[in-house]
Amino acid sequence: MCGIIGYVGEKPAQPILLSGLKRLEYRGYDSSGMALISLSPRGISLRKSAGKINALEKLLKQKPLVGSVGIAHTRWATHGAPNQVNAHPHLDCKNEIALVHNGIIENYASLKAKLIKEGHRFISQTDTEVVVHLIEKFYKDLSLEDAVRKALKMLTGSFALGVISRREPEKLIGARCGSPLIIGIGKGENFIASDVPAILEYTKEIIFLEENEMAVLTKDEVKLADFQGKRITRKPQRINWDIAQAQKQGYKHFMLKEINEQPLIAENLLQLRLRKDGQVIFEEQKIPSEKLKGIRNISIVACGTAYHAGLVGKYALESLCALPVSVDVSSEFRYRDLLLDKTTLVVAVSQSGETADTLAGIREAKKRGCLVLSICNVLSSTLARESDGVIYTHAGPEIGVASTKAYTAQLLAFYLLALDLARLKNVLSVNKIEKYLQELKKVPRLQGEILKNQGVIARLARQHAHFGSFLFLGRNVNYPSALEGALKLKEISYIPAEGYAAGEMKHGPIALIDEYRAVVCLAPESRVYEKMVSNIQEIRSRHGKIIAVATRGDRKIKELTPEVIYIPAIEELFSPLIVALPLQLLAYHIALKRGCDVDQPRNLAKSVTVE
């Protein structure tokens, strides 16, 4: 949530910061702004605007900013309405210090009251403005970095900060506690940012700030320290992402590009994870085999789409490993009375590795002695660093807010994890594991077959885009697919949609079915196929408008509804990897028909880094 970018170097900062903001749009925002230090005359120049970045860009064309040190920000409103006044950066009373902030300052009200009594003037309704006035308070007799450090010690909550001062125009300061911030190392220039894509055009050498750390950047040097001032030495890591991966490459939207990337990502993952002898490789997974053998139960924690991946993971782990598995949304898990111990493996799933509730959940689990394994996409994210082991999904940067390729990569990670645990625990024979792996190897080709037939899905989407609500029904391992299909549609088209286990239809949802509601029925070949057919017949008798997802060659479904999306046959357990794609495309084309902002749906952020 929110986006920060900062630059210190010799080049004009405005175009670099503006480019970075555009690459951070996917994080979600409602206003944006930029502050630069100008040297003649020395001072801080500020531009801010509500709405999309193009409004800020227009303002900058009319009144350009000149300078080679600056900070910029996209804001997702928490405290105070989304408007120009509340947009970041914020300034102190003397206009000497500019600051951007991602996170929430929980004790801002009491701090603000004290600062007002001391004579500080506030102009916004944000919690953020408190921080810049605190720094101002301590900046009288201290250096900027010492004033920032002193201010940080008074804050309660979460924050990533970028700070500049006209009194020390060669410096850029970054700090983090609970919200992500990275440092980019260049030649004669250095950067801070919320996420890698913002600076990937300029450098691939990245330092990931850890909790309660601060960085002081000049154009030639980066100094790290903790909040007590103790120096820290950490080498940068090289990011293997290519800038092209964070661009649309001719696609109309990032979401469509990322849907179409899934076969290649699946193929690359399988090549990376499978040895020629059929053994699964998790080179970054550091939990010893002996400890994994002793696991008696598994608890999966995640949010949103990652939670749905976790539900599929439950089916896979229980089926292949004969272990009891529970799945919780992270925001509930962290507040429950957790019955966990050293025999529990907690699997945390997060694309960004920075999801606040998931991080809080694993910290509670670790207090109880649990092993924590994370499935995430972002190298050296907080979740990856705090886990005992990590499985990276290697899906590349996912820019569209609605997760697509990260979801199927998470599913693949779960299937491979389940097969590896089954081997470790001697639950499945070598021949059975090999049979499953051979079936998984078909996935990239089968996903590609679906993508070659997008026209049929687009036509169905256009025909059903006018419906006021949707119901998604699935059974067994495709019940989570129904939940995920409904979520995708809600996220980007704003159509009310619900996902249900089809067997629950008679327990309430059947009352909603009429000719005004579209029902998406997931009925691929499976052991519950006949049950799904019965559900479809019940919907048909009540004049529901049915879209079925069925296995290629299924004539029975065609007799029940003319609107069928056919998918290739695959082992039932792995069918969510195939079912996901038509549901993603259906949501995409419905949203497109309705004129919605597909990549940046309203009120949503890509990474929820605050509670």
Side-chain angles (χ1 to χ4, degrees), residues 407-435:
Y407 173 67
T408 51
Q410 288 163 355
L411 294 187
L412 258 180
F414 267 117
Y415 288 125
L416 292 171
L417 172 63
L419 289 167
D420 192 44
L421 280 177
R423 177 188 60 80
L424 274 175
K425 298 178 79 68
N426 260 337
V427 177
L428 293 179
S429 68
V430 173
N431 288 340
K432 190 72 172 174
I433 291 174
E434 178 59 24
K435 181 183 175 183

PDB file of all heavy atoms in Angstrom, residues 407-435:
ATOM      1  N   TYR A 407      -0.903 -16.606  -8.329  1.00  0.00           N
ATOM      2  CA  TYR A 407      -1.810 -17.622  -7.786  1.00  0.00           C
ATOM      3  C   TYR A 407      -1.456 -19.015  -8.295  1.00  0.00           C
ATOM      4  O   TYR A 407      -1.285 -19.954  -7.507  1.00  0.00           O
ATOM      5  CB  TYR A 407      -3.248 -17.270  -8.153  1.00  0.00           C
ATOM      6  CG  TYR A 407      -4.273 -18.331  -7.802  1.00  0.00           C
ATOM      7  CD1 TYR A 407      -4.558 -18.644  -6.480  1.00  0.00           C
ATOM      8  CD2 TYR A 407      -4.972 -19.015  -8.798  1.00  0.00           C
ATOM      9  CE1 TYR A 407      -5.506 -19.603  -6.156  1.00  0.00           C
ATOM     10  CE2 TYR A 407      -5.922 -19.971  -8.486  1.00  0.00           C
ATOM     11  CZ  TYR A 407      -6.178 -20.266  -7.158  1.00  0.00           C
ATOM     12  OH  TYR A 407      -7.116 -21.228  -6.839  1.00  0.00           O
ATOM     13  N   THR A 408      -1.332 -19.182  -9.606  1.00  0.00           N
ATOM     14  CA  THR A 408      -1.038 -20.510 -10.132  1.00  0.00           C
ATOM     15  C   THR A 408       0.375 -20.954  -9.760  1.00  0.00           C
ATOM     16  O   THR A 408       0.634 -22.146  -9.577  1.00  0.00           O
ATOM     17  CB  THR A 408      -1.250 -20.575 -11.654  1.00  0.00           C
ATOM     18  OG1 THR A 408      -0.554 -19.494 -12.276  1.00  0.00           O
ATOM     19  CG2 THR A 408      -2.726 -20.507 -11.994  1.00  0.00           C
ATOM     20  N   ALA A 409       1.300 -19.988  -9.611  1.00  0.00           N
ATOM     21  CA  ALA A 409       2.638 -20.338  -9.138  1.00  0.00           C
ATOM     22  C   ALA A 409       2.591 -20.832  -7.692  1.00  0.00           C
ATOM     23  O   ALA A 409       3.304 -21.778  -7.310  1.00  0.00           O
ATOM     24  CB  ALA A 409       3.573 -19.137  -9.263  1.00  0.00           C
ATOM     25  N   GLN A 410       1.731 -20.230  -6.876  1.00  0.00           N
ATOM     26  CA  GLN A 410       1.545 -20.701  -5.497  1.00  0.00           C
ATOM     27  C   GLN A 410       0.943 -22.108  -5.463  1.00  0.00           C
ATOM     28  O   GLN A 410       1.351 -22.953  -4.654  1.00  0.00           O
ATOM     29  CB  GLN A 410       0.651 -19.722  -4.728  1.00  0.00           C
ATOM     30  CG  GLN A 410       1.322 -18.402  -4.402  1.00  0.00           C
ATOM     31  CD  GLN A 410       0.342 -17.304  -4.028  1.00  0.00           C
ATOM     32  OE1 GLN A 410      -0.878 -17.488  -4.087  1.00  0.00           O
ATOM     33  NE2 GLN A 410       0.852 -16.142  -3.656  1.00  0.00           N
ATOM     34  N   LEU A 411      -0.016 -22.355  -6.357  1.00  0.00           N
ATOM     35  CA  LEU A 411      -0.593 -23.707  -6.438  1.00  0.00           C
ATOM     36  C   LEU A 411       0.480 -24.733  -6.783  1.00  0.00           C
ATOM     37  O   LEU A 411       0.552 -25.799  -6.161  1.00  0.00           O
ATOM     38  CB  LEU A 411      -1.695 -23.746  -7.501  1.00  0.00           C
ATOM     39  CG  LEU A 411      -2.962 -22.927  -7.274  1.00  0.00           C
ATOM     40  CD1 LEU A 411      -3.990 -23.231  -8.356  1.00  0.00           C
ATOM     41  CD2 LEU A 411      -3.564 -23.177  -5.906  1.00  0.00           C
ATOM     42  N   LEU A 412       1.306 -24.425  -7.769  1.00  0.00           N
ATOM     43  CA  LEU A 412       2.379 -25.341  -8.148  1.00  0.00           C
ATOM     44  C   LEU A 412       3.322 -25.602  -6.981  1.00  0.00           C
ATOM     45  O   LEU A 412       3.758 -26.737  -6.758  1.00  0.00           O
ATOM     46  CB  LEU A 412       3.159 -24.768  -9.328  1.00  0.00           C
ATOM     47  CG  LEU A 412       2.870 -25.339 -10.709  1.00  0.00           C
ATOM     48  CD1 LEU A 412       3.717 -24.655 -11.760  1.00  0.00           C
ATOM     49  CD2 LEU A 412       3.085 -26.846 -10.748  1.00  0.00           C
ATOM     50  N   ALA A 413       3.637 -24.547  -6.239  1.00  0.00           N
ATOM     51  CA  ALA A 413       4.506 -24.699  -5.069  1.00  0.00           C
ATOM     52  C   ALA A 413       3.887 -25.653  -4.060  1.00  0.00           C
ATOM     53  O   ALA A 413       4.582 -26.509  -3.480  1.00  0.00           O
ATOM     54  CB  ALA A 413       4.778 -23.338  -4.435  1.00  0.00           C
ATOM     55  N   PHE A 414       2.572 -25.534  -3.836  1.00  0.00           N
ATOM     56  CA  PHE A 414       1.898 -26.438  -2.893  1.00  0.00           C
ATOM     57  C   PHE A 414       1.939 -27.886  -3.385  1.00  0.00           C
ATOM     58  O   PHE A 414       2.189 -28.808  -2.603  1.00  0.00           O
ATOM     59  CB  PHE A 414       0.456 -26.001  -2.675  1.00  0.00           C
ATOM     60  CG  PHE A 414       0.267 -25.087  -1.504  1.00  0.00           C
ATOM     61  CD1 PHE A 414      -0.199 -23.798  -1.674  1.00  0.00           C
ATOM     62  CD2 PHE A 414       0.539 -25.525  -0.209  1.00  0.00           C
ATOM     63  CE1 PHE A 414      -0.382 -22.951  -0.589  1.00  0.00           C
ATOM     64  CE2 PHE A 414       0.365 -24.689   0.890  1.00  0.00           C
ATOM     65  CZ  PHE A 414      -0.090 -23.394   0.696  1.00  0.00           C
ATOM     66  N   TYR A 415       1.670 -28.103  -4.668  1.00  0.00           N
ATOM     67  CA  TYR A 415       1.679 -29.479  -5.184  1.00  0.00           C
ATOM     68  C   TYR A 415       3.074 -30.100  -5.045  1.00  0.00           C
ATOM     69  O   TYR A 415       3.206 -31.268  -4.636  1.00  0.00           O
ATOM     70  CB  TYR A 415       1.245 -29.493  -6.652  1.00  0.00           C
ATOM     71  CG  TYR A 415      -0.224 -29.213  -6.866  1.00  0.00           C
ATOM     72  CD1 TYR A 415      -0.650 -28.192  -7.717  1.00  0.00           C
ATOM     73  CD2 TYR A 415      -1.210 -29.959  -6.217  1.00  0.00           C
ATOM     74  CE1 TYR A 415      -1.996 -27.935  -7.916  1.00  0.00           C
ATOM     75  CE2 TYR A 415      -2.555 -29.702  -6.414  1.00  0.00           C
ATOM     76  CZ  TYR A 415      -2.944 -28.687  -7.258  1.00  0.00           C
ATOM     77  OH  TYR A 415      -4.285 -28.433  -7.453  1.00  0.00           O
ATOM     78  N   LEU A 416       4.096 -29.337  -5.371  1.00  0.00           N
ATOM     79  CA  LEU A 416       5.457 -29.862  -5.274  1.00  0.00           C
ATOM     80  C   LEU A 416       5.851 -30.087  -3.816  1.00  0.00           C
ATOM     81  O   LEU A 416       6.516 -31.073  -3.490  1.00  0.00           O
ATOM     82  CB  LEU A 416       6.431 -28.902  -5.958  1.00  0.00           C
ATOM     83  CG  LEU A 416       6.276 -28.803  -7.479  1.00  0.00           C
ATOM     84  CD1 LEU A 416       7.125 -27.665  -8.034  1.00  0.00           C
ATOM     85  CD2 LEU A 416       6.644 -30.118  -8.155  1.00  0.00           C
ATOM     86  N   LEU A 417       5.431 -29.185  -2.944  1.00  0.00           N
ATOM     87  CA  LEU A 417       5.687 -29.367  -1.512  1.00  0.00           C
ATOM     88  C   LEU A 417       5.017 -30.639  -1.008  1.00  0.00           C
ATOM     89  O   LEU A 417       5.621 -31.437  -0.269  1.00  0.00           O
ATOM     90  CB  LEU A 417       5.178 -28.153  -0.726  1.00  0.00           C
ATOM     91  CG  LEU A 417       5.198 -28.279   0.804  1.00  0.00           C
ATOM     92  CD1 LEU A 417       6.621 -28.433   1.323  1.00  0.00           C
ATOM     93  CD2 LEU A 417       4.520 -27.065   1.447  1.00  0.00           C
ATOM     94  N   ALA A 418       3.760 -30.855  -1.404  1.00  0.00           N
ATOM     95  CA  ALA A 418       3.023 -32.037  -0.961  1.00  0.00           C
ATOM     96  C   ALA A 418       3.710 -33.324  -1.437  1.00  0.00           C
ATOM     97  O   ALA A 418       3.838 -34.293  -0.679  1.00  0.00           O
ATOM     98  CB  ALA A 418       1.585 -31.981  -1.475  1.00  0.00           C
ATOM     99  N   LEU A 419       4.162 -33.342  -2.680  1.00  0.00           N
ATOM    100  CA  LEU A 419       4.838 -34.530  -3.201  1.00  0.00           C
ATOM    101  C   LEU A 419       6.176 -34.759  -2.512  1.00  0.00           C
ATOM    102  O   LEU A 419       6.571 -35.902  -2.244  1.00  0.00           O
ATOM    103  CB  LEU A 419       5.016 -34.407  -4.710  1.00  0.00           C
ATOM    104  CG  LEU A 419       3.722 -34.521  -5.524  1.00  0.00           C
ATOM    105  CD1 LEU A 419       3.938 -34.072  -6.961  1.00  0.00           C
ATOM    106  CD2 LEU A 419       3.171 -35.951  -5.472  1.00  0.00           C
ATOM    107  N   ASP A 420       6.877 -33.682  -2.205  1.00  0.00           N
ATOM    108  CA  ASP A 420       8.159 -33.815  -1.504  1.00  0.00           C
ATOM    109  C   ASP A 420       7.956 -34.333  -0.084  1.00  0.00           C
ATOM    110  O   ASP A 420       8.702 -35.201   0.391  1.00  0.00           O
ATOM    111  CB  ASP A 420       8.871 -32.465  -1.494  1.00  0.00           C
ATOM    112  CG  ASP A 420      10.327 -32.578  -1.059  1.00  0.00           C
ATOM    113  OD1 ASP A 420      11.013 -33.504  -1.535  1.00  0.00           O
ATOM    114  OD2 ASP A 420      10.775 -31.760  -0.248  1.00  0.00           O
ATOM    115  N   LEU A 421       6.947 -33.802   0.623  1.00  0.00           N
ATOM    116  CA  LEU A 421       6.642 -34.294   1.973  1.00  0.00           C
ATOM    117  C   LEU A 421       6.187 -35.744   1.944  1.00  0.00           C
ATOM    118  O   LEU A 421       6.530 -36.533   2.836  1.00  0.00           O
ATOM    119  CB  LEU A 421       5.566 -33.415   2.619  1.00  0.00           C
ATOM    120  CG  LEU A 421       6.017 -32.083   3.217  1.00  0.00           C
ATOM    121  CD1 LEU A 421       4.811 -31.315   3.756  1.00  0.00           C
ATOM    122  CD2 LEU A 421       7.022 -32.310   4.340  1.00  0.00           C
ATOM    123  N   ALA A 422       5.414 -36.106   0.917  1.00  0.00           N
ATOM    124  CA  ALA A 422       4.969 -37.498   0.791  1.00  0.00           C
ATOM    125  C   ALA A 422       6.164 -38.432   0.629  1.00  0.00           C
ATOM    126  O   ALA A 422       6.182 -39.547   1.179  1.00  0.00           O
ATOM    127  CB  ALA A 422       4.026 -37.633  -0.402  1.00  0.00           C
ATOM    128  N   ARG A 423       7.167 -37.987  -0.109  1.00  0.00           N
ATOM    129  CA  ARG A 423       8.395 -38.791  -0.258  1.00  0.00           C
ATOM    130  C   ARG A 423       9.142 -38.875   1.066  1.00  0.00           C
ATOM    131  O   ARG A 423       9.566 -39.969   1.488  1.00  0.00           O
ATOM    132  CB  ARG A 423       9.302 -38.151  -1.319  1.00  0.00           C
ATOM    133  CG  ARG A 423      10.640 -38.860  -1.519  1.00  0.00           C
ATOM    134  CD  ARG A 423      11.556 -38.064  -2.423  1.00  0.00           C
ATOM    135  NE  ARG A 423      11.854 -36.743  -1.901  1.00  0.00           N
ATOM    136  CZ  ARG A 423      12.777 -36.507  -0.952  1.00  0.00           C
ATOM    137  NH1 ARG A 423      13.466 -37.504  -0.426  1.00  0.00           N
ATOM    138  NH2 ARG A 423      12.981 -35.272  -0.533  1.00  0.00           N
ATOM    139  N   LEU A 424       9.293 -37.723   1.747  1.00  0.00           N
ATOM    140  CA  LEU A 424      10.011 -37.703   3.015  1.00  0.00           C
ATOM    141  C   LEU A 424       9.364 -38.608   4.061  1.00  0.00           C
ATOM    142  O   LEU A 424      10.055 -39.297   4.819  1.00  0.00           O
ATOM    143  CB  LEU A 424      10.066 -36.270   3.559  1.00  0.00           C
ATOM    144  CG  LEU A 424      11.188 -35.351   3.084  1.00  0.00           C
ATOM    145  CD1 LEU A 424      10.990 -33.954   3.650  1.00  0.00           C
ATOM    146  CD2 LEU A 424      12.543 -35.895   3.505  1.00  0.00           C
ATOM    147  N   LYS A 425       8.031 -38.579   4.103  1.00  0.00           N
ATOM    148  CA  LYS A 425       7.302 -39.330   5.123  1.00  0.00           C
ATOM    149  C   LYS A 425       6.930 -40.750   4.673  1.00  0.00           C
ATOM    150  O   LYS A 425       6.236 -41.464   5.379  1.00  0.00           O
ATOM    151  CB  LYS A 425       6.042 -38.552   5.545  1.00  0.00           C
ATOM    152  CG  LYS A 425       6.364 -37.198   6.174  1.00  0.00           C
ATOM    153  CD  LYS A 425       5.116 -36.413   6.532  1.00  0.00           C
ATOM    154  CE  LYS A 425       4.505 -36.907   7.828  1.00  0.00           C
ATOM    155  NZ  LYS A 425       5.320 -36.640   9.006  1.00  0.00           N
ATOM    156  N   ASN A 426       7.387 -41.120   3.464  1.00  0.00           N
ATOM    157  CA  ASN A 426       7.128 -42.476   2.946  1.00  0.00           C
ATOM    158  C   ASN A 426       5.645 -42.799   2.838  1.00  0.00           C
ATOM    159  O   ASN A 426       5.223 -43.928   3.076  1.00  0.00           O
ATOM    160  CB  ASN A 426       7.792 -43.541   3.830  1.00  0.00           C
ATOM    161  CG  ASN A 426       9.095 -44.020   3.236  1.00  0.00           C
ATOM    162  OD1 ASN A 426       9.306 -43.913   2.033  1.00  0.00           O
ATOM    163  ND2 ASN A 426       9.957 -44.538   4.082  1.00  0.00           N
ATOM    164  N   VAL A 427       4.846 -41.809   2.472  1.00  0.00           N
ATOM    165  CA  VAL A 427       3.403 -41.998   2.359  1.00  0.00           C
ATOM    166  C   VAL A 427       3.030 -42.528   0.976  1.00  0.00           C
ATOM    167  O   VAL A 427       2.087 -43.314   0.843  1.00  0.00           O
ATOM    168  CB  VAL A 427       2.666 -40.661   2.639  1.00  0.00           C
ATOM    169  CG1 VAL A 427       1.175 -40.817   2.456  1.00  0.00           C
ATOM    170  CG2 VAL A 427       2.978 -40.174   4.042  1.00  0.00           C
ATOM    171  N   LEU A 428       3.767 -42.090  -0.050  1.00  0.00           N
ATOM    172  CA  LEU A 428       3.511 -42.531  -1.417  1.00  0.00           C
ATOM    173  C   LEU A 428       4.725 -43.284  -1.960  1.00  0.00           C
ATOM    174  O   LEU A 428       5.867 -42.977  -1.612  1.00  0.00           O
ATOM    175  CB  LEU A 428       3.241 -41.330  -2.334  1.00  0.00           C
ATOM    176  CG  LEU A 428       1.960 -40.526  -2.106  1.00  0.00           C
ATOM    177  CD1 LEU A 428       1.912 -39.368  -3.108  1.00  0.00           C
ATOM    178  CD2 LEU A 428       0.728 -41.383  -2.234  1.00  0.00           C
ATOM    179  N   SER A 429       4.466 -44.219  -2.832  1.00  0.00           N
ATOM    180  CA  SER A 429       5.558 -44.951  -3.473  1.00  0.00           C
ATOM    181  C   SER A 429       6.260 -44.054  -4.488  1.00  0.00           C
ATOM    182  O   SER A 429       5.694 -43.056  -4.964  1.00  0.00           O
ATOM    183  CB  SER A 429       5.014 -46.189  -4.188  1.00  0.00           C
ATOM    184  OG  SER A 429       4.221 -45.809  -5.299  1.00  0.00           O
ATOM    185  N   VAL A 430       7.478 -44.423  -4.841  1.00  0.00           N
ATOM    186  CA  VAL A 430       8.240 -43.674  -5.840  1.00  0.00           C
ATOM    187  C   VAL A 430       7.488 -43.650  -7.164  1.00  0.00           C
ATOM    188  O   VAL A 430       7.428 -42.621  -7.855  1.00  0.00           O
ATOM    189  CB  VAL A 430       9.641 -44.298  -6.026  1.00  0.00           C
ATOM    190  CG1 VAL A 430      10.367 -43.638  -7.186  1.00  0.00           C
ATOM    191  CG2 VAL A 430      10.453 -44.159  -4.743  1.00  0.00           C
ATOM    192  N   ASN A 431       6.887 -44.782  -7.527  1.00  0.00           N
ATOM    193  CA  ASN A 431       6.142 -44.863  -8.793  1.00  0.00           C
ATOM    194  C   ASN A 431       4.930 -43.941  -8.798  1.00  0.00           C
ATOM    195  O   ASN A 431       4.613 -43.298  -9.810  1.00  0.00           O
ATOM    196  CB  ASN A 431       5.699 -46.306  -9.062  1.00  0.00           C
ATOM    197  CG  ASN A 431       6.863 -47.190  -9.450  1.00  0.00           C
ATOM    198  OD1 ASN A 431       7.906 -46.697  -9.869  1.00  0.00           O
ATOM    199  ND2 ASN A 431       6.695 -48.493  -9.304  1.00  0.00           N
ATOM    200  N   LYS A 432       4.238 -43.866  -7.660  1.00  0.00           N
ATOM    201  CA  LYS A 432       3.056 -42.995  -7.563  1.00  0.00           C
ATOM    202  C   LYS A 432       3.462 -41.525  -7.663  1.00  0.00           C
ATOM    203  O   LYS A 432       2.810 -40.734  -8.362  1.00  0.00           O
ATOM    204  CB  LYS A 432       2.338 -43.247  -6.230  1.00  0.00           C
ATOM    205  CG  LYS A 432       0.978 -42.574  -6.121  1.00  0.00           C
ATOM    206  CD  LYS A 432      -0.060 -43.236  -6.979  1.00  0.00           C
ATOM    207  CE  LYS A 432      -1.447 -42.682  -6.709  1.00  0.00           C
ATOM    208  NZ  LYS A 432      -2.465 -43.216  -7.643  1.00  0.00           N
ATOM    209  N   ILE A 433       4.559 -41.169  -6.993  1.00  0.00           N
ATOM    210  CA  ILE A 433       5.039 -39.794  -7.059  1.00  0.00           C
ATOM    211  C   ILE A 433       5.427 -39.440  -8.484  1.00  0.00           C
ATOM    212  O   ILE A 433       5.098 -38.362  -8.992  1.00  0.00           O
ATOM    213  CB  ILE A 433       6.227 -39.582  -6.087  1.00  0.00           C
ATOM    214  CG1 ILE A 433       5.736 -39.657  -4.634  1.00  0.00           C
ATOM    215  CG2 ILE A 433       6.907 -38.230  -6.354  1.00  0.00           C
ATOM    216  CD1 ILE A 433       6.839 -39.613  -3.606  1.00  0.00           C
ATOM    217  N   GLU A 434       6.122 -40.353  -9.159  1.00  0.00           N
ATOM    218  CA  GLU A 434       6.537 -40.118 -10.535  1.00  0.00           C
ATOM    219  C   GLU A 434       5.326 -39.937 -11.446  1.00  0.00           C
ATOM    220  O   GLU A 434       5.328 -39.081 -12.348  1.00  0.00           O
ATOM    221  CB  GLU A 434       7.405 -41.274 -11.027  1.00  0.00           C
ATOM    222  CG  GLU A 434       7.854 -41.159 -12.476  1.00  0.00           C
ATOM    223  CD  GLU A 434       8.654 -39.900 -12.774  1.00  0.00           C
ATOM    224  OE1 GLU A 434       9.264 -39.332 -11.841  1.00  0.00           O
ATOM    225  OE2 GLU A 434       8.647 -39.462 -13.941  1.00  0.00           O
ATOM    226  N   LYS A 435       4.273 -40.707 -11.203  1.00  0.00           N
ATOM    227  CA  LYS A 435       3.049 -40.576 -11.997  1.00  0.00           C
ATOM    228  C   LYS A 435       2.443 -39.185 -11.832  1.00  0.00           C
ATOM    229  O   LYS A 435       2.025 -38.549 -12.817  1.00  0.00           O
ATOM    230  CB  LYS A 435       2.044 -41.642 -11.575  1.00  0.00           C
ATOM    231  CG  LYS A 435       0.744 -41.606 -12.370  1.00  0.00           C
ATOM    232  CD  LYS A 435      -0.245 -42.647 -11.857  1.00  0.00           C
ATOM    233  CE  LYS A 435      -1.586 -42.529 -12.584  1.00  0.00           C
ATOM    234  NZ  LYS A 435      -2.594 -43.484 -12.050  1.00  0.00           N
TER     235      LYS A 435
END
